[in-house]
Amino acid sequence: MNIVERMKAPTPKFFRVLRNIGLLLAATGGALLAAPVALPTAVVTVAGYLTVAGGVMTAVSQSTVDGEPDKPQGDGT
């Protein structure tokens, strides 16, 4: 299964919820980073971490597929 097929395949419910949480974290971090007011350094640092963590969570959750793998891994023992 290549990456395009994997992204188009159905995602399990648990990972859809995680994907949405990741999108929320990324959006929150992005909003804090783009705020037009001066924020404390700690808030900006946490916002950067939120953005990265949300993006990674979203990508990993989206690439998880529902169903059986195409071929078995290993020698089967």
Side-chain angles (χ1 to χ4, degrees):
M1 174 179 290
N2 64 25
I3 192 73
V4 174
E5 292 171 349
R6 181 172 285 277
M7 291 297 175
K8 289 182 178 180
T11 304
K13 182 175 180 0
F14 174 73
F15 288 101
R16 284 191 307 244
V17 171
L18 279 182
R19 180 190 61 204
N20 292 338
I21 291 170
L23 287 171
L24 179 69
L25 287 175
T28 302
L32 287 173
L33 288 173
V37 296
L39 296 172
T41 306
V43 173
V44 173
T45 302
V46 169
Y49 288 132
L50 281 176
T51 304
V52 171
V56 169
M57 185 185 297
T58 301
V60 169
S61 296
Q62 183 61 40
S63 63
T64 305
V65 296
D66 199 11
E68 296 294 320
D70 289 340
K71 44 189 150 173
Q73 299 294 320
D75 62 356
T77 58

Short mmCIF file of all heavy atoms in Angstrom, two decimals:
data_model
loop_
_atom_site.label_atom_id
_atom_site.label_comp_id
_atom_site.label_asym_id
_atom_site.label_seq_id
_atom_site.Cartn_x
_atom_site.Cartn_y
_atom_site.Cartn_z
N MET A 1 0.86 -1.17 0.00
CA MET A 1 0.00 0.00 0.00
C MET A 1 0.91 1.24 0.00
O MET A 1 1.72 1.43 0.89
CB MET A 1 -0.89 -0.05 1.26
CG MET A 1 -1.72 1.16 1.46
SD MET A 1 -2.81 1.11 2.91
CE MET A 1 -3.99 -0.10 2.42
N ASN A 2 0.74 2.07 -1.01
CA ASN A 2 1.57 3.28 -1.05
C ASN A 2 0.92 4.40 -0.22
O ASN A 2 -0.18 4.23 0.31
CB ASN A 2 1.83 3.72 -2.50
CG ASN A 2 0.58 4.12 -3.23
OD1 ASN A 2 -0.40 4.52 -2.62
ND2 ASN A 2 0.60 4.02 -4.55
N ILE A 3 1.59 5.52 -0.12
CA ILE A 3 1.15 6.58 0.78
C ILE A 3 -0.17 7.20 0.33
O ILE A 3 -1.00 7.56 1.18
CB ILE A 3 2.26 7.65 0.95
CG1 ILE A 3 1.93 8.60 2.09
CG2 ILE A 3 2.48 8.43 -0.33
CD1 ILE A 3 2.09 7.98 3.43
N VAL A 4 -0.41 7.31 -0.96
CA VAL A 4 -1.66 7.89 -1.44
C VAL A 4 -2.83 6.98 -1.09
O VAL A 4 -3.88 7.45 -0.62
CB VAL A 4 -1.58 8.16 -2.96
CG1 VAL A 4 -2.92 8.62 -3.50
CG2 VAL A 4 -0.49 9.17 -3.27
N GLU A 5 -2.67 5.68 -1.32
CA GLU A 5 -3.73 4.73 -0.96
C GLU A 5 -3.97 4.73 0.55
O GLU A 5 -5.10 4.64 1.01
CB GLU A 5 -3.35 3.32 -1.42
CG GLU A 5 -3.34 3.14 -2.91
CD GLU A 5 -2.74 1.81 -3.32
OE1 GLU A 5 -2.16 1.11 -2.46
OE2 GLU A 5 -2.84 1.46 -4.50
N ARG A 6 -2.90 4.83 1.33
CA ARG A 6 -3.03 4.83 2.78
C ARG A 6 -3.80 6.06 3.25
O ARG A 6 -4.62 5.99 4.15
CB ARG A 6 -1.63 4.80 3.41
CG ARG A 6 -1.66 4.79 4.91
CD ARG A 6 -0.30 4.56 5.49
NE ARG A 6 0.15 3.19 5.37
CZ ARG A 6 -0.18 2.21 6.21
NH1 ARG A 6 -0.96 2.47 7.23
NH2 ARG A 6 0.26 1.00 6.05
N MET A 7 -3.55 7.22 2.66
CA MET A 7 -4.24 8.44 3.08
C MET A 7 -5.71 8.44 2.67
O MET A 7 -6.54 9.07 3.30
CB MET A 7 -3.55 9.68 2.51
CG MET A 7 -2.20 9.95 3.11
SD MET A 7 -2.36 10.29 4.85
CE MET A 7 -0.67 10.41 5.33
N LYS A 8 -6.04 7.71 1.60
CA LYS A 8 -7.43 7.64 1.14
C LYS A 8 -8.22 6.53 1.82
O LYS A 8 -9.44 6.53 1.75
CB LYS A 8 -7.46 7.43 -0.38
CG LYS A 8 -7.02 8.64 -1.16
CD LYS A 8 -7.13 8.38 -2.65
CE LYS A 8 -6.74 9.59 -3.44
NZ LYS A 8 -6.84 9.34 -4.89
N ALA A 9 -7.55 5.59 2.47
CA ALA A 9 -8.22 4.45 3.11
C ALA A 9 -8.99 4.91 4.34
O ALA A 9 -8.69 5.96 4.94
CB ALA A 9 -7.20 3.39 3.49
N PRO A 10 -10.01 4.16 4.76
CA PRO A 10 -10.79 4.53 5.95
C PRO A 10 -9.92 4.54 7.21
O PRO A 10 -9.05 3.70 7.39
CB PRO A 10 -11.85 3.44 6.06
CG PRO A 10 -11.80 2.67 4.80
CD PRO A 10 -10.51 2.96 4.13
N THR A 11 -10.18 5.51 8.08
CA THR A 11 -9.46 5.66 9.34
C THR A 11 -10.34 5.18 10.48
O THR A 11 -11.52 5.51 10.53
CB THR A 11 -9.10 7.15 9.56
OG1 THR A 11 -8.35 7.61 8.43
CG2 THR A 11 -8.28 7.35 10.81
N PRO A 12 -9.80 4.41 11.43
CA PRO A 12 -10.60 3.97 12.58
C PRO A 12 -11.10 5.16 13.41
O PRO A 12 -10.48 6.22 13.43
CB PRO A 12 -9.62 3.12 13.40
CG PRO A 12 -8.55 2.73 12.45
CD PRO A 12 -8.45 3.83 11.45
N LYS A 13 -12.21 4.98 14.10
CA LYS A 13 -12.84 6.05 14.86
C LYS A 13 -11.91 6.67 15.89
O LYS A 13 -11.84 7.89 16.01
CB LYS A 13 -14.11 5.54 15.54
CG LYS A 13 -14.84 6.63 16.32
CD LYS A 13 -16.14 6.13 16.88
CE LYS A 13 -16.94 7.12 17.65
NZ LYS A 13 -16.54 8.43 17.83
N PHE A 14 -11.16 5.85 16.63
CA PHE A 14 -10.24 6.37 17.64
C PHE A 14 -9.23 7.34 17.03
O PHE A 14 -8.95 8.40 17.58
CB PHE A 14 -9.51 5.20 18.32
CG PHE A 14 -8.45 5.63 19.28
CD1 PHE A 14 -8.79 6.18 20.51
CD2 PHE A 14 -7.12 5.50 18.96
CE1 PHE A 14 -7.82 6.59 21.40
CE2 PHE A 14 -6.14 5.90 19.85
CZ PHE A 14 -6.48 6.44 21.07
N PHE A 15 -8.70 6.99 15.86
CA PHE A 15 -7.70 7.84 15.24
C PHE A 15 -8.32 9.07 14.58
O PHE A 15 -7.65 10.09 14.41
CB PHE A 15 -6.86 7.03 14.25
CG PHE A 15 -5.93 6.08 14.95
CD1 PHE A 15 -6.23 4.74 15.06
CD2 PHE A 15 -4.76 6.54 15.53
CE1 PHE A 15 -5.39 3.88 15.72
CE2 PHE A 15 -3.91 5.68 16.19
CZ PHE A 15 -4.22 4.35 16.29
N ARG A 16 -9.60 9.00 14.20
CA ARG A 16 -10.27 10.21 13.72
C ARG A 16 -10.39 11.22 14.85
O ARG A 16 -10.21 12.42 14.65
CB ARG A 16 -11.65 9.86 13.17
CG ARG A 16 -11.60 9.22 11.80
CD ARG A 16 -12.98 9.15 11.19
NE ARG A 16 -13.94 8.50 12.08
CZ ARG A 16 -14.56 7.36 11.83
NH1 ARG A 16 -14.33 6.74 10.70
NH2 ARG A 16 -15.40 6.86 12.69
N VAL A 17 -10.70 10.73 16.07
CA VAL A 17 -10.79 11.62 17.24
C VAL A 17 -9.42 12.22 17.53
O VAL A 17 -9.29 13.43 17.76
CB VAL A 17 -11.34 10.85 18.46
CG1 VAL A 17 -11.22 11.68 19.72
CG2 VAL A 17 -12.78 10.44 18.23
N LEU A 18 -8.37 11.39 17.50
CA LEU A 18 -7.02 11.91 17.72
C LEU A 18 -6.63 12.93 16.65
O LEU A 18 -5.95 13.92 16.95
CB LEU A 18 -6.00 10.77 17.73
CG LEU A 18 -5.86 9.97 19.01
CD1 LEU A 18 -4.78 8.91 18.86
CD2 LEU A 18 -5.55 10.86 20.19
N ARG A 19 -7.01 12.67 15.41
CA ARG A 19 -6.70 13.61 14.32
C ARG A 19 -7.35 14.96 14.59
O ARG A 19 -6.72 16.01 14.42
CB ARG A 19 -7.21 13.04 12.99
CG ARG A 19 -6.93 13.97 11.81
CD ARG A 19 -7.63 13.50 10.57
NE ARG A 19 -9.08 13.51 10.81
CZ ARG A 19 -9.95 12.76 10.15
NH1 ARG A 19 -9.54 11.93 9.22
NH2 ARG A 19 -11.23 12.83 10.41
N ASN A 20 -8.61 14.94 15.04
CA ASN A 20 -9.29 16.20 15.32
C ASN A 20 -8.66 16.94 16.50
O ASN A 20 -8.56 18.17 16.49
CB ASN A 20 -10.77 15.94 15.58
CG ASN A 20 -11.49 15.47 14.32
OD1 ASN A 20 -11.03 15.72 13.22
ND2 ASN A 20 -12.59 14.80 14.49
N ILE A 21 -8.22 16.20 17.52
CA ILE A 21 -7.53 16.83 18.64
C ILE A 21 -6.21 17.44 18.16
O ILE A 21 -5.84 18.55 18.56
CB ILE A 21 -7.30 15.80 19.77
CG1 ILE A 21 -8.64 15.42 20.40
CG2 ILE A 21 -6.34 16.35 20.83
CD1 ILE A 21 -8.55 14.25 21.36
N GLY A 22 -5.51 16.73 17.29
CA GLY A 22 -4.26 17.26 16.73
C GLY A 22 -4.49 18.53 15.93
O GLY A 22 -3.70 19.48 16.01
N LEU A 23 -5.57 18.57 15.16
CA LEU A 23 -5.90 19.77 14.41
C LEU A 23 -6.20 20.94 15.34
O LEU A 23 -5.78 22.08 15.09
CB LEU A 23 -7.09 19.52 13.48
CG LEU A 23 -6.82 18.66 12.26
CD1 LEU A 23 -8.13 18.30 11.57
CD2 LEU A 23 -5.89 19.37 11.31
N LEU A 24 -6.90 20.65 16.43
CA LEU A 24 -7.21 21.68 17.42
C LEU A 24 -5.93 22.22 18.07
O LEU A 24 -5.77 23.44 18.22
CB LEU A 24 -8.16 21.13 18.48
CG LEU A 24 -8.56 22.09 19.59
CD1 LEU A 24 -9.43 23.19 19.04
CD2 LEU A 24 -9.27 21.34 20.69
N LEU A 25 -5.02 21.32 18.44
CA LEU A 25 -3.75 21.76 19.05
C LEU A 25 -2.94 22.61 18.07
O LEU A 25 -2.38 23.65 18.45
CB LEU A 25 -2.93 20.55 19.48
CG LEU A 25 -3.41 19.79 20.70
CD1 LEU A 25 -2.56 18.55 20.91
CD2 LEU A 25 -3.38 20.67 21.93
N ALA A 26 -2.86 22.17 16.83
CA ALA A 26 -2.10 22.91 15.83
C ALA A 26 -2.71 24.29 15.58
O ALA A 26 -2.00 25.29 15.47
CB ALA A 26 -2.01 22.13 14.53
N ALA A 27 -4.03 24.36 15.52
CA ALA A 27 -4.70 25.64 15.30
C ALA A 27 -4.50 26.58 16.50
O ALA A 27 -4.27 27.78 16.32
CB ALA A 27 -6.18 25.43 15.04
N THR A 28 -4.58 26.03 17.71
CA THR A 28 -4.39 26.84 18.90
C THR A 28 -2.96 27.39 18.95
O THR A 28 -2.75 28.58 19.21
CB THR A 28 -4.67 26.02 20.17
OG1 THR A 28 -6.00 25.52 20.10
CG2 THR A 28 -4.51 26.85 21.42
N GLY A 29 -1.99 26.54 18.71
CA GLY A 29 -0.60 26.98 18.70
C GLY A 29 -0.35 28.02 17.61
O GLY A 29 0.34 29.02 17.84
N GLY A 30 -0.91 27.79 16.44
CA GLY A 30 -0.75 28.76 15.35
C GLY A 30 -1.38 30.10 15.66
O GLY A 30 -0.83 31.16 15.35
N ALA A 31 -2.53 30.08 16.31
CA ALA A 31 -3.20 31.34 16.68
C ALA A 31 -2.37 32.11 17.71
O ALA A 31 -2.26 33.33 17.65
CB ALA A 31 -4.59 31.05 17.22
N LEU A 32 -1.80 31.38 18.66
CA LEU A 32 -0.96 32.05 19.65
C LEU A 32 0.30 32.62 19.02
O LEU A 32 0.75 33.71 19.38
CB LEU A 32 -0.59 31.08 20.78
CG LEU A 32 -1.70 30.73 21.75
CD1 LEU A 32 -1.24 29.64 22.71
CD2 LEU A 32 -2.15 31.95 22.53
N LEU A 33 0.88 31.90 18.08
CA LEU A 33 2.09 32.39 17.42
C LEU A 33 1.80 33.61 16.55
O LEU A 33 2.65 34.49 16.40
CB LEU A 33 2.72 31.29 16.57
CG LEU A 33 3.40 30.16 17.34
CD1 LEU A 33 3.82 29.05 16.39
CD2 LEU A 33 4.60 30.67 18.12
N ALA A 34 0.61 33.66 15.98
CA ALA A 34 0.26 34.77 15.09
C ALA A 34 -0.44 35.91 15.81
O ALA A 34 -0.89 36.86 15.15
CB ALA A 34 -0.64 34.24 13.98
N ALA A 35 -0.52 35.86 17.13
CA ALA A 35 -1.21 36.92 17.88
C ALA A 35 -0.53 38.26 17.65
O ALA A 35 0.70 38.36 17.67
CB ALA A 35 -1.21 36.58 19.37
N PRO A 36 -1.33 39.31 17.46
CA PRO A 36 -0.76 40.64 17.17
C PRO A 36 -0.24 41.37 18.42
O PRO A 36 0.23 42.49 18.31
CB PRO A 36 -1.93 41.40 16.55
CG PRO A 36 -3.13 40.75 17.14
CD PRO A 36 -2.77 39.31 17.35
N VAL A 37 -0.31 40.73 19.57
CA VAL A 37 0.19 41.36 20.79
C VAL A 37 1.44 40.63 21.25
O VAL A 37 1.67 39.49 20.90
CB VAL A 37 -0.88 41.32 21.93
CG1 VAL A 37 -2.09 42.15 21.54
CG2 VAL A 37 -1.27 39.91 22.25
N ALA A 38 2.24 41.30 22.04
CA ALA A 38 3.46 40.69 22.58
C ALA A 38 3.09 39.72 23.70
O ALA A 38 2.41 40.10 24.66
CB ALA A 38 4.39 41.77 23.09
N LEU A 39 3.49 38.50 23.55
CA LEU A 39 3.22 37.47 24.55
C LEU A 39 4.52 37.09 25.25
O LEU A 39 5.60 37.23 24.67
CB LEU A 39 2.61 36.23 23.88
CG LEU A 39 1.25 36.43 23.22
CD1 LEU A 39 0.86 35.19 22.43
CD2 LEU A 39 0.20 36.74 24.27
N PRO A 40 4.42 36.61 26.47
CA PRO A 40 5.64 36.17 27.16
C PRO A 40 6.35 35.05 26.38
O PRO A 40 5.73 34.29 25.64
CB PRO A 40 5.12 35.64 28.50
CG PRO A 40 3.79 36.27 28.68
CD PRO A 40 3.24 36.50 27.32
N THR A 41 7.64 34.97 26.59
CA THR A 41 8.45 33.99 25.87
C THR A 41 7.97 32.56 26.14
O THR A 41 7.96 31.73 25.22
CB THR A 41 9.93 34.12 26.29
OG1 THR A 41 10.33 35.47 26.09
CG2 THR A 41 10.81 33.21 25.48
N ALA A 42 7.57 32.28 27.36
CA ALA A 42 7.11 30.93 27.69
C ALA A 42 5.87 30.55 26.89
O ALA A 42 5.74 29.41 26.43
CB ALA A 42 6.82 30.82 29.19
N VAL A 43 4.96 31.49 26.70
CA VAL A 43 3.74 31.23 25.94
C VAL A 43 4.08 30.96 24.48
O VAL A 43 3.52 30.05 23.86
CB VAL A 43 2.74 32.40 26.09
CG1 VAL A 43 1.55 32.22 25.16
CG2 VAL A 43 2.30 32.55 27.52
N VAL A 44 4.99 31.73 23.92
CA VAL A 44 5.39 31.54 22.53
C VAL A 44 6.08 30.18 22.35
O VAL A 44 5.85 29.48 21.37
CB VAL A 44 6.29 32.70 22.06
CG1 VAL A 44 6.86 32.43 20.68
CG2 VAL A 44 5.52 34.01 22.08
N THR A 45 6.90 29.80 23.31
CA THR A 45 7.59 28.50 23.25
C THR A 45 6.58 27.36 23.31
O THR A 45 6.65 26.41 22.51
CB THR A 45 8.59 28.38 24.41
OG1 THR A 45 9.52 29.45 24.32
CG2 THR A 45 9.34 27.06 24.34
N VAL A 46 5.64 27.44 24.24
CA VAL A 46 4.61 26.40 24.35
C VAL A 46 3.75 26.35 23.08
O VAL A 46 3.38 25.27 22.61
CB VAL A 46 3.74 26.63 25.61
CG1 VAL A 46 2.52 25.73 25.61
CG2 VAL A 46 4.56 26.42 26.86
N ALA A 47 3.46 27.50 22.50
CA ALA A 47 2.67 27.54 21.27
C ALA A 47 3.40 26.84 20.13
O ALA A 47 2.78 26.13 19.33
CB ALA A 47 2.36 28.98 20.89
N GLY A 48 4.70 27.00 20.06
CA GLY A 48 5.49 26.30 19.04
C GLY A 48 5.43 24.80 19.22
O GLY A 48 5.26 24.05 18.26
N TYR A 49 5.56 24.35 20.47
CA TYR A 49 5.47 22.92 20.75
C TYR A 49 4.07 22.39 20.44
O TYR A 49 3.92 21.27 19.92
CB TYR A 49 5.82 22.62 22.20
CG TYR A 49 7.30 22.78 22.50
CD1 TYR A 49 7.72 23.49 23.61
CD2 TYR A 49 8.27 22.21 21.69
CE1 TYR A 49 9.07 23.64 23.90
CE2 TYR A 49 9.61 22.35 21.97
CZ TYR A 49 10.01 23.06 23.08
OH TYR A 49 11.34 23.19 23.36
N LEU A 50 3.03 23.15 20.76
CA LEU A 50 1.66 22.73 20.45
C LEU A 50 1.45 22.56 18.95
O LEU A 50 0.82 21.60 18.50
CB LEU A 50 0.65 23.75 20.98
CG LEU A 50 0.30 23.72 22.45
CD1 LEU A 50 -0.65 24.88 22.78
CD2 LEU A 50 -0.33 22.42 22.83
N THR A 51 1.99 23.49 18.19
CA THR A 51 1.83 23.44 16.74
C THR A 51 2.51 22.19 16.16
O THR A 51 1.92 21.47 15.35
CB THR A 51 2.41 24.71 16.10
OG1 THR A 51 1.77 25.85 16.69
CG2 THR A 51 2.18 24.73 14.61
N VAL A 52 3.73 21.94 16.59
CA VAL A 52 4.45 20.76 16.09
C VAL A 52 3.77 19.47 16.54
O VAL A 52 3.57 18.56 15.74
CB VAL A 52 5.93 20.80 16.54
CG1 VAL A 52 6.62 19.50 16.21
CG2 VAL A 52 6.64 21.97 15.89
N ALA A 53 3.42 19.38 17.81
CA ALA A 53 2.78 18.17 18.33
C ALA A 53 1.45 17.92 17.64
O ALA A 53 1.11 16.78 17.29
CB ALA A 53 2.58 18.28 19.83
N GLY A 54 0.67 18.96 17.42
CA GLY A 54 -0.61 18.81 16.73
C GLY A 54 -0.44 18.35 15.29
O GLY A 54 -1.19 17.51 14.81
N GLY A 55 0.56 18.89 14.61
CA GLY A 55 0.82 18.47 13.23
C GLY A 55 1.24 17.02 13.13
O GLY A 55 0.78 16.27 12.27
N VAL A 56 2.12 16.59 14.04
CA VAL A 56 2.57 15.20 14.04
C VAL A 56 1.41 14.27 14.39
O VAL A 56 1.21 13.24 13.75
CB VAL A 56 3.75 15.02 15.02
CG1 VAL A 56 4.06 13.55 15.23
CG2 VAL A 56 4.97 15.76 14.51
N MET A 57 0.63 14.65 15.39
CA MET A 57 -0.51 13.82 15.79
C MET A 57 -1.51 13.67 14.64
O MET A 57 -2.03 12.58 14.39
CB MET A 57 -1.21 14.44 17.01
CG MET A 57 -2.33 13.60 17.57
SD MET A 57 -3.24 14.40 18.92
CE MET A 57 -1.98 14.59 20.14
N THR A 58 -1.74 14.75 13.94
CA THR A 58 -2.68 14.71 12.81
C THR A 58 -2.16 13.82 11.69
O THR A 58 -2.90 13.00 11.15
CB THR A 58 -2.92 16.14 12.29
OG1 THR A 58 -3.44 16.93 13.35
CG2 THR A 58 -3.86 16.15 11.12
N ALA A 59 -0.88 13.95 11.35
CA ALA A 59 -0.32 13.16 10.26
C ALA A 59 -0.31 11.67 10.59
O ALA A 59 -0.67 10.83 9.76
CB ALA A 59 1.09 13.64 9.95
N VAL A 60 0.09 11.32 11.80
CA VAL A 60 0.14 9.91 12.18
C VAL A 60 -1.26 9.33 12.24
O VAL A 60 -1.51 8.22 11.77
CB VAL A 60 0.88 9.75 13.53
CG1 VAL A 60 0.71 8.35 14.08
CG2 VAL A 60 2.34 10.09 13.37
N SER A 61 -2.20 10.08 12.80
CA SER A 61 -3.58 9.58 12.90
C SER A 61 -4.21 9.40 11.52
O SER A 61 -4.96 8.46 11.30
CB SER A 61 -4.42 10.53 13.74
OG SER A 61 -3.94 10.56 15.06
N GLN A 62 -3.92 10.29 10.61
CA GLN A 62 -4.50 10.20 9.28
C GLN A 62 -3.93 9.02 8.50
O GLN A 62 -4.62 8.43 7.68
CB GLN A 62 -4.26 11.50 8.50
CG GLN A 62 -4.89 11.52 7.13
CD GLN A 62 -6.40 11.38 7.15
OE1 GLN A 62 -7.05 11.96 8.00
NE2 GLN A 62 -6.95 10.63 6.23
N SER A 63 -2.69 8.65 8.76
CA SER A 63 -2.08 7.56 8.00
C SER A 63 -2.40 6.18 8.56
O SER A 63 -1.99 5.18 7.99
CB SER A 63 -0.56 7.76 7.92
OG SER A 63 0.00 7.71 9.21
N THR A 64 -3.13 6.11 9.67
CA THR A 64 -3.55 4.82 10.22
C THR A 64 -4.78 4.35 9.46
O THR A 64 -5.72 5.10 9.26
CB THR A 64 -3.90 4.98 11.71
OG1 THR A 64 -2.79 5.54 12.38
CG2 THR A 64 -4.24 3.66 12.33
N VAL A 65 -4.76 3.08 9.02
CA VAL A 65 -5.86 2.58 8.20
C VAL A 65 -6.63 1.49 8.93
O VAL A 65 -6.11 0.83 9.83
CB VAL A 65 -5.35 2.03 6.85
CG1 VAL A 65 -4.76 3.14 6.02
CG2 VAL A 65 -4.37 0.91 7.04
N ASP A 66 -7.85 1.32 8.52
CA ASP A 66 -8.74 0.29 9.07
C ASP A 66 -8.71 -0.88 8.11
O ASP A 66 -8.85 -0.72 6.91
CB ASP A 66 -10.16 0.86 9.17
CG ASP A 66 -11.03 0.08 10.11
OD1 ASP A 66 -10.49 -0.77 10.84
OD2 ASP A 66 -12.24 0.33 10.12
N GLY A 67 -8.51 -2.08 8.63
CA GLY A 67 -8.54 -3.26 7.78
C GLY A 67 -7.28 -4.08 7.89
O GLY A 67 -6.37 -3.79 8.65
N GLU A 68 -7.23 -5.13 7.07
CA GLU A 68 -6.12 -6.06 7.07
C GLU A 68 -4.98 -5.54 6.21
O GLU A 68 -5.21 -4.88 5.19
CB GLU A 68 -6.58 -7.42 6.51
CG GLU A 68 -7.63 -8.09 7.35
CD GLU A 68 -7.10 -8.51 8.71
OE1 GLU A 68 -5.95 -8.99 8.78
OE2 GLU A 68 -7.83 -8.34 9.70
N PRO A 69 -3.72 -5.87 6.57
CA PRO A 69 -2.60 -5.48 5.73
C PRO A 69 -2.60 -6.28 4.41
O PRO A 69 -3.19 -7.37 4.34
CB PRO A 69 -1.37 -5.82 6.57
CG PRO A 69 -1.84 -6.79 7.57
CD PRO A 69 -3.32 -6.53 7.79
N ASP A 70 -1.96 -5.75 3.39
CA ASP A 70 -1.92 -6.41 2.08
C ASP A 70 -1.20 -7.74 2.12
O ASP A 70 -1.66 -8.72 1.57
CB ASP A 70 -1.26 -5.51 1.04
CG ASP A 70 -2.14 -4.32 0.69
OD1 ASP A 70 -3.35 -4.40 0.94
OD2 ASP A 70 -1.60 -3.34 0.16
N LYS A 71 -0.05 -7.79 2.78
CA LYS A 71 0.71 -9.02 2.85
C LYS A 71 1.32 -9.18 4.23
O LYS A 71 1.61 -8.18 4.89
CB LYS A 71 1.78 -9.06 1.78
CG LYS A 71 2.55 -7.81 1.58
CD LYS A 71 3.43 -7.91 0.35
CE LYS A 71 3.59 -6.50 -0.22
NZ LYS A 71 4.49 -6.38 -1.28
N PRO A 72 1.50 -10.39 4.69
CA PRO A 72 2.06 -10.60 6.03
C PRO A 72 3.51 -10.14 6.12
O PRO A 72 4.26 -10.25 5.15
CB PRO A 72 1.93 -12.10 6.26
CG PRO A 72 1.75 -12.70 4.93
CD PRO A 72 1.17 -11.63 4.03
N GLN A 73 3.90 -9.67 7.30
CA GLN A 73 5.26 -9.23 7.54
C GLN A 73 6.04 -10.37 8.19
O GLN A 73 5.51 -11.11 8.99
CB GLN A 73 5.26 -8.01 8.47
CG GLN A 73 4.53 -6.81 7.91
CD GLN A 73 5.21 -6.23 6.68
OE1 GLN A 73 6.41 -6.15 6.64
NE2 GLN A 73 4.42 -5.83 5.71
N GLY A 74 7.30 -10.52 7.85
CA GLY A 74 8.14 -11.53 8.47
C GLY A 74 7.94 -12.91 7.85
O GLY A 74 7.30 -13.06 6.81
N ASP A 75 8.43 -13.93 8.54
CA ASP A 75 8.34 -15.29 8.02
C ASP A 75 7.15 -16.06 8.56
O ASP A 75 6.98 -17.24 8.26
CB ASP A 75 9.64 -16.04 8.29
CG ASP A 75 9.94 -16.17 9.77
OD1 ASP A 75 9.17 -15.59 10.58
OD2 ASP A 75 10.94 -16.81 10.13
N GLY A 76 6.34 -15.46 9.42
CA GLY A 76 5.12 -16.07 9.90
C GLY A 76 5.30 -17.03 11.05
O GLY A 76 4.40 -17.77 11.40
N THR A 77 6.47 -17.04 11.66
CA THR A 77 6.67 -17.94 12.81
C THR A 77 6.51 -17.22 14.11
O THR A 77 6.59 -16.07 14.24
CB THR A 77 8.07 -18.59 12.77
OG1 THR A 77 9.06 -17.57 12.76
CG2 THR A 77 8.20 -19.49 11.57
#
